[in-house]
Amino acid sequence: MKKQKLLYILHDVQIGGVEVAMLSALPELNRQFDLKVMVLGSIDANITSHLSAAEKACMVPFDYKLSMYPLVIPKMIRFILSFSPDVMICSLWRASLLGVIAKKLRPQIRFISFIHNTAFFHRFDRLFSQAAIRHADSIFTDSRATATFVTRQFKPSVPVEVISFFTSHSPDFKTAPPFNNQDVRFMFLGRINSVKNLPLAVDTIRYLADRGYNASLDIYGRNDGMLETVTEYIRTGQLESRVRFRGEVNGSKKLELFRNYNFLIQLSTNEGMAMSVAEAMQNGLVCFVTAVGEIPNYAEDMKTAIFADISSTQAFHHSLEKLESVIADPRLYDRISTSSYEGFKTVGTYSESLIRSIGGVLRGSSAAGSH
């Protein structure tokens, strides 16, 4: 039987929740569909190294500067129309722009708009994401928080579905190391971006060091504009021996990393699913996090995570005292760590969830076509 054609459009294939999730599903998508992945940026060979030659061949880069878009949009649209997909998934705003144009020119394409956050980051993001929501046949989101945001803000007339963002099943046993409060190890995993508030993570290490703890923080991720600022902040605070940048890390290495740390820290202003937090909890790390985006839907303060309030200096100081109370009591740490791991034991994966939902969209279109 002839495979149906699936086109997945996203910005880059680099370290990031959206990209890593897509790569986790790519082998199965390629088995089940005639698949093309249109990449509107660069492809990091490190994070695609585990794919077969046939799977890598699915990815087609269109790496143009944004200033070139008025000239190259026709070329990109020709590529979409010549592939003539049955289903087109558009993830993030530049993909949404192409998706809306292609849908208008070829209305029979089943257009899925994939929304990943509970806020828009700039004018173009709002404009094209909104247009995609309006023209889509179905809307996928990475969390209940994002689904609620889309439903409340835009009241779409098409279904809004939540896709699991777990790239792998939970391990058979808790992988976080036994906790010893003589050596308190934190990690950060994500883009080095202003929204992540990394200076506050550095302040956390300073606070614990001042209280006599041997605390350290390793920062993993890609520079998204804030590396110099954070490096300077660490230098000014004379914390170079405690806070270190470790560079980017790919999917398979992440699981090894979780075996080396007791805590994950993420003090973001806003988030969608917050994939690194969920994955750390899946492995039994205790997460010191702001309760933003989806986090309050899957974590509970002092039960499966430690919630930080960054709304004022005083509120954050209180959060640091709460964190210290967990560090000072290894039994409390173990309780939170075990509850965190247990809570995620049965999660389904992104690949399973995505393929099931694409099937639903296709069944809906064939049912509509038979009337």
Side-chain angles (χ1 to χ4, degrees):
M1 199 171 129
K2 194 159 154 267
K3 288 179 178 177
Q4 291 192 287
K5 291 181 173 185
L6 170 64
L7 177 65
Y8 198 128
I9 313 177
L10 79 171
H11 286 193
D12 302 283
V13 176
Q14 304 283 349
I15 293 289
V18 173
E19 298 84 354
V20 169
M22 185 281 293
L23 286 176
S24 74
L26 192 146
E28 192 55 35
L29 289 171
N30 188 44
R31 270 194 289 277
Q32 298 205 22
F33 298 95
D34 178 356
L35 175 68
K36 286 267 183 279
V37 178
M38 190 174 181
V39 183
L40 308 179
S42 57
I43 298 171
D44 181 345
N46 291 327
I47 71 163
T48 61
S49 57
H50 64 289
L51 298 174
S52 71
E55 288 158 0
K56 284 179 190 167
C58 294
M59 291 185 280
V60 185
F62 287 81
D63 192 2
Y64 297 108
K65 284 195 174 79
L66 206 49
S67 57
M68 292 288 290
Y69 266 49
L71 301 173
V72 297
I73 281 175
K75 177 185 178 179
M76 296 193 279
I77 293 297
R78 272 197 304 277
F79 171 80
I80 296 171
L81 298 182
S82 66
F83 178 55
S84 192
D86 297 292
V87 184
M88 173 177 61
I89 299 175
C90 295
S91 204
L92 307 174
W93 72 269
R94 272 182 283 153
S96 297
L97 161 65
L98 295 176
V100 169
I101 297 169
K103 176 69 177 175
K104 283 187 164 179
L105 294 171
R106 192 74 57 82
Q108 65 268 36
I109 295 174
R110 304 304 289 171
F111 174 25
I112 297 167
S113 170
F114 208 144
I115 306 292
H116 297 279
N117 221 307
T118 54
F120 297 114
F121 292 105
H122 45 71
R123 205 158 37 101
F124 289 130
D125 186 17
R126 174 180 284 278
L127 182 69
F128 296 120
S129 299
Q130 238 172 314
I133 289 165
R134 243 189 350 264
H135 289 87
D137 297 291
S138 190
I139 297 159
F140 290 178
T141 65
D142 62 1
S143 62
R144 281 178 288 166
T146 307
T148 302
F149 167 72
V150 169
T151 307
R152 282 192 185 145
Q153 287 273 321
F154 305 107
K155 302 183 172 44
S157 57
V158 297
V160 178
E161 290 193 52
V162 178
I163 307 297
S164 164
F165 243 60
F166 288 93
T167 54
S168 56
H169 291 288
S170 288
D172 294 331
F173 56 88
K174 192 170 80 167
T175 55
F179 179 57
N180 172 1
N181 60 13
Q182 303 309 301
D183 181 20
V184 186
R185 289 177 302 211
F186 285 80
M187 68 180 288
F188 168 86
L189 179 60
R191 292 177 197 253
I192 299 161
N193 182 293
S194 58
V195 82
K196 304 290 186 182
N197 292 319
L198 276 164
L200 285 180
V202 177
D203 289 344
T204 302
I205 300 303
R206 182 193 288 115
Y207 170 86
L208 292 171
D210 290 348
R211 307 286 293 171
Y213 292 98
N214 181 27
S216 62
L217 167 64
D218 286 342
I219 297 171
Y220 295 91
R222 177 158 65 114
N223 182 17
D224 209 3
M226 277 296 284
L227 183 58
E228 245 176 78
T229 307
V230 179
T231 307
E232 183 55 36
Y233 195 77
I234 294 164
R235 221 181 359 253
T236 306
Q238 298 182 316
L239 288 164
E240 296 99 325
S241 63
R242 293 181 181 272
V243 184
R244 300 178 196 89
F245 286 100
R246 299 293 193 187
E248 292 185 44
V249 65
N250 68 21
S252 56
K253 295 262 171 55
K254 261 194 309 194
L255 300 178
E256 292 164 36
L257 281 185
F258 291 140
R259 299 193 177 103
N260 300 321
Y261 298 93
N262 313 113
F263 291 90
L264 179 129
I265 188 165
Q266 183 162 294
L267 303 172
S268 304
T269 310
N270 62 57
E271 283 288 344
M273 176 63 186
M275 206 50 244
S276 57
V277 175
E279 287 176 335
M281 289 177 66
Q282 215 180 353
N283 284 272
L285 279 76
V286 170
C287 294
F288 183 51
V289 289
T290 40
V292 292
E294 183 71 359
I295 293 170
N297 289 333
Y298 62 69
E300 194 178 346
D301 189 25
M302 298 303 280
K303 298 277 171 58
T304 58
I306 305 165
F307 286 174
D309 183 346
I310 61 170
S311 61
S312 68
T313 308
Q314 194 180 357
F316 187 55
H317 185 78
H318 176 67
S319 301
L320 291 172
E321 290 174 337
K322 195 164 58 165
L323 169 65
E324 189 190 352
S325 73
V326 175
I327 293 170
D329 183 353
R331 281 183 306 183
L332 175 56
Y333 173 91
D334 283 335
R335 254 201 323 276
I336 296 172
S337 166
T338 301
S339 300
S340 167
Y341 167 72
E342 293 289 342
F344 281 121
K345 247 182 160 170
T346 58
V347 292
T349 67
Y350 178 76
S351 180
E352 295 161 351
S353 178
L354 180 67
I355 287 166
R356 190 165 54 245
S357 291
I358 293 169
V361 171
L362 283 166
R363 280 192 299 279
S365 69
S366 58
S370 64
H371 286 313

